[in-house]
Amino acid sequence: AGSYGFQAQPMGVPGGFVVPPIQNQPTMDRTIWMPIPPSIPNCPPGLEYLTQIDQVLIHQQLELLEIVTGFEENNKYEIKNALGQRVYFAAEDTDCLTRNCCGPSRPFTIRITDNLGHEVIRLQRPLRCSMCCCPCCLQELEVQAPPGTTVGYVVQNWHVCLPKFTIQNEKRMDILKITGPCVVCSCCEDVNFEVKSVDETCAVGRISKQWTGFLQEMFTDADNFGISFPMDLDVKMKAVVIGACFLIDFMFFEHGSNKRQQAGVW
């Protein structure tokens, strides 16, 4: 219960009064969760949090076994708001053989849970070719909210030198575009992927891979990201943009084993 920050349920007291639940109580690991928002009509359950924010911070957790041995573990992430309150917790669900044989190109399922431990978003990436010279089988990510109900897709677009993606809704209609830099290198500075309108004339948000320092960048694949999007963007598309961040992480920054080999650690 402590790891997911379960909230106490209302309890009756003598006299007919009801004690409301504490909305922002730290868990056993000192995590502060974002207060539970009220339900909203026509909003997928669990996405109500996204109606109140226009920025998201994603912190990948360090895995000690992975750092020491190079053995690839399932990734885990904290998803926080601008105040540092945890909004969601994300955990990869991939088998050991796939993780260590396919590396960052692996297919994966990422389950995103709220502060009650309910899975509210599921990200599914099928196995696709990771070679940019093969435009017939590009990367794709399906976003479900709740699990089993598709709300959108992240589709890689072929380009000779730029990483480009399209955010689509559940009907495969293009909603937003994402364009990254020609050279995706995080050397002492952030790497920005611009979120743009469909015609790419207007920037509406950003996915930034944040520089975390030489040691962490060199010896681990635990990355930090910042995401911004319009406050009034459909919550389903906000969830898809968050999914795009995970796909970008795996495609361009999830290379911890290679980093350790280059550094001579193992």
Side-chain angles (χ1 to χ4, degrees), residues 251-265:
M251 289 181 63
F252 301 106
F253 305 107
E254 186 75 8
H255 299 284
S257 297
N258 292 339
K259 292 177 184 177
R260 287 185 287 270
Q261 288 175 334
Q262 292 169 1
V265 177

Side-chain angles (χ1 to χ4, degrees), residues 172-186:
R172 293 281 187 174
M173 294 177 58
D174 295 353
I175 304 298
L176 296 169
K177 298 284 187 176
I178 299 177
T179 302
C182 182
V183 179
V184 183
C185 178
S186 57

